[in-house]
Amino acid sequence: MRSKAVVGNWKLNGSLAGNESLLRALLREIPRDTDVACAVCVPSPYLAQVQGLLTGSGIGWGAQDVSRHDQGAYTGEVSARMAAEFACRYAIVGHSERRTLFGEADAVVAEKYARARAARLTPNFCVGETLEERERGGTGEGLARQVDALLERCGAAELEGGIVAYEPVWAIGTGKTATSAQAQEAHAFIRGRIAQKDGAIAEKLPVLYGGSVKPGNAAELFAMPDVDGGLIGGASPVDEDLAGIWRAARDARKGK
Ligand code: PEP
């Protein structure tokens, strides 16, 4: 059975005091031993705090992005190696906000994935179509382009130890969620694309869904055979919500 995960993406939110109360509440909900991973990806200045609070718990943590460079004159960048020094397990790469607001091209995202793997992080590689692509029937084409850029740079073998997150851009932070059928179709497409290179790796690869997931809609999405959990933005820094979504993933796992 594929591993399952619920990963929170705090985005540009948090404060030392707020993080502590949020994580203490989450620690009460997530058991130390669980076969459905729960993690938070936090702004880099909070990694030390989060490491201090979560070490030894059942909750993992990670960075929201890493540089495509390892070191050097790249002001403002944080490398995968630096994130790994804070015992991060995860790093999000290629989030649509990075792709659209910061102009990250497919090839740059693939470089970041490679850096994260080299630092022994689990990259959470995000792909997703825009509304314009979906409306003109270009969803598969958009997803294939993003996945192929990664396969070309890293090879299918590097996907072992990674995670893919399908995040339709039109569903992120909008309150519009893909239907479970739309999510299943896209997840199966992504898995199938990777299977053309390596079927065994594709079969084992966790593919998470992201896009306005809430405790109330998570169960239906996670029941789909190719949906292995979620990448959660807006709901992840909200008291109780991440735990509620994680419980939906845990329950869905039992039913699969
Ligand atoms: C995200 O930012 O990865 C995301 C899925 O956001 P939201 O859950 O708010 O749509």
Side-chain angles (χ1 to χ4, degrees):
M1 187 186 272
R2 281 190 292 275
S3 56
K4 306 273 185 286
V6 169
V7 179
N9 170 17
W10 287 3
K11 311 194 188 201
L12 188 56
N13 295 297
S15 66
L16 288 171
N19 302 345
E20 179 158 356
S21 67
L22 187 76
L23 292 175
R24 288 205 185 281
L26 195 59
L27 282 163
R28 287 192 286 275
E29 302 290 335
I30 309 298
R32 200 177 295 236
D33 289 319
T34 165
D35 46 17
V36 175
C38 181
V40 288
C41 289
V42 306
S44 296
Y46 297 136
L47 285 173
Q49 181 198 22
V50 170
Q51 180 183 14
L53 286 164
L54 298 184
T55 295
S57 78
I59 308 169
W61 60 95
Q64 294 175 11
D65 186 30
V66 292
S67 177
R68 71 177 139 141
H69 306 288
D70 182 51
Q71 60 176 26
Y74 303 105
T75 302
E77 291 282 87
V78 173
S79 73
R81 186 178 47 78
M82 292 169 184
E85 286 194 295
F86 293 91
C88 285
R89 165 130 189 236
Y90 301 95
I92 299 172
V93 296
H95 190 282
S96 71
E97 287 154 13
R98 301 293 320 170
R99 291 177 186 265
T100 55
L101 303 176
F102 300 95
E104 289 184 8
D106 295 331
V108 170
V109 176
E111 286 300 324
K112 291 182 171 203
Y113 185 101
R115 286 288 181 197
R117 288 293 291 131
R120 298 183 187 283
L121 301 176
T122 299
N124 204 319
F125 172 71
C126 300
V127 295
E129 80 285 2
T130 62
L131 187 59
E132 186 272 322
E133 282 174 319
R134 176 161 283 270
E135 285 180 344
R136 69 172 161 76
T139 299
E141 186 193 324
L143 295 178
R145 193 198 69 239
Q146 292 170 335
V147 169
D148 290 354
L150 180 65
L151 290 169
E152 269 162 41
R153 168 61 182 83
C154 298
E158 277 295 294
L159 269 77
E160 186 159 24
I163 290 176
V164 172
Y166 167 61
E167 298 208 307
V169 178
W170 48 272
I172 296 180
T174 59
K176 287 184 199 150
T177 313
T179 64
S180 49
Q182 285 171 326
Q184 170 58 28
E185 187 182 24
H187 284 227
F189 177 87
I190 293 164
R191 201 180 302 288
R193 193 82 186 173
I194 296 163
Q196 287 173 11
K197 299 284 183 205
D198 190 318
I201 283 189
E203 189 47 41
K204 273 195 285 174
L205 181 72
V207 182
L208 311 185
Y209 169 79
S212 299
V213 179
K214 303 274 181 295
N217 60 20
E220 195 181 336
L221 288 157
F222 298 165
M224 294 293 110
D226 282 291
V227 179
D228 304 311
L231 179 58
I232 316 301
S236 66
V238 177
D239 276 348
E240 299 296 323
D241 276 11
L242 195 65
I245 294 167
W246 175 84
R247 280 193 289 272
R250 179 203 58 192
D251 294 349
R253 186 179 199 277
K254 287 184 197 147
K256 280 187 182 172

